Amino acid sequence: MSPSGAKQTDFRIFCVDGGGIRGLISALVTAKIEQLLRARDGDDARIADYFHLFAGTSTGGLIALALTRPKPPSADDLAGFYTEDGPKIFSRSLTWKLRTGGGLWGPKYDNEHLRNAVLERLGNGTLAEAERELLVTSYDMTNREPLFFKGWKAQKDPNLNFPVVDAALSTAAAPTYFPSQEPEMLKGHALVDGGVFAANPAIAAIAEALGRTSNPRPTLDEMLVVSIGTGDFQEGFPPSEVHDWGDLGWVKRGRGDEPPILSVLLGGASDGTDYWAHMLLNHEPGNPPPAAEAIGRGERYFRFQAPLAEAIQMDDASPKTLKLHDRQTSDATLEAKPHSRASAAAAAR
């Protein structure tokens, strides 16, 4: 846990947003950072060895679970979850379409392919086996409160030692896309995607680190947070369109195939967290508010968010889109926040 150049006092946190198939962007950005580490520290360098805490929401939760498993995959291997398994995960039979009315009165997809992919890639282990601190978000619709899957709690309390597959399916249960989960260890509770409150889990991870009771127990000045987004495409809605929306307007599948209410919840929550994390870790009290382009550029909070040339829906796993992900991310990864290779390497040190 002491790579070359790292400060002993730094508590390093790696966070990954939710975003469905756009998690491929996060996987590719993660691979870019790992490539920089290998160039500096040797071919055996793995991003899993450079951070104390991994936090993730939805598709980001799958990445966090993968990177904290025993013998974690290289960041390059993470892309296979999306390029190889994505088309199967986001597919549906004619029977399922008829049963759910094409998603009108049931989830758009079942989660059998997702379950199979998790078991194949992450195994059938439990949270207590995590080799780094782990925080995965979900939301309990029954109790109406956030629910966190935590590695350290699982190691201390057998009643919280959930199977990895339960954590994965719960954090990925995006409303309208996948069915809610009722883990065997939480009978009577309906769990859904943590993105409904923490699409970007950075603030949740910072709070988790501040609440530690064992060493290292960092202060804000001793934290370094790397936050990975799932791509950003800026297209708003004019007042004339939003003003008259009712139930159908907010949930209709208008532009593309993503309900406006869901994209607003995920995007708004992520942008808000980005700002708060910057103010907590980068901003000096008394200084003027930061310009938008300065947010997430260090010294202690780094935000990597690749700009997208066009909208990519959360469930669009078509060959064209997967190739577009790869090309756009390769071109834009190190031109996002922060802008330079030097800054990217500094963020991972």
Side-chain angles (χ1 to χ4, degrees), residues 151-195:
W152 70 269
K153 280 197 171 183
Q155 291 165 2
K156 290 186 175 183
D157 185 350
N159 293 319
L160 299 176
N161 189 20
F162 292 89
V164 166
V165 67
D166 283 352
L169 294 180
S170 296
T171 193
T176 76
Y177 287 93
F178 291 110
S180 65
Q181 290 303 293
E182 184 182 2
E184 187 68 31
M185 296 172 62
L186 271 180
K187 280 295 185 183
H189 294 260
L191 306 187
V192 299
D193 190 334

Side-chain angles (χ1 to χ4, degrees), residues 56-68:
T57 289
S58 193
T59 193
L62 303 182
I63 291 175
L65 287 163
L67 292 176
T68 55

Side-chain angles (χ1 to χ4, degrees), residues 9 63 81 103 149 175 183 202 221 231 276 281 288 320 323 326 341 344:
T9 54
I63 291 175
F81 211 127
F149 296 97
D221 290 337
W276 298 325
L281 298 179
K320 176 185 174 182
K323 289 179 181 178
D326 199 347
R341 285 181 177 270

Side-chain angles (χ1 to χ4, degrees), residues 32-97:
K32 287 281 188 179
I33 297 174
E34 188 170 85
Q35 289 170 15
L36 294 175
L37 294 171
R38 287 180 191 164
R40 191 193 68 186
D41 295 340
D43 292 342
D44 292 334
R46 292 287 184 270
I47 202 164
D49 295 326
Y50 288 77
F51 292 87
H52 299 84
L53 170 62
F54 288 82
T57 289
S58 193
T59 193
L62 303 182
I63 291 175
L65 287 163
L67 292 176
T68 55
R69 301 304 298 151
K71 298 180 180 180
S74 70
D76 288 329
D77 293 335
L78 291 174
F81 211 127
Y82 303 94
T83 57
E84 297 169 18
D85 297 321
K88 291 180 286 187
I89 291 170
F90 292 108
S91 65
R92 48 189 176 161
S93 65
L94 177 60
T95 300
W96 185 264
K97 290 180 182 179

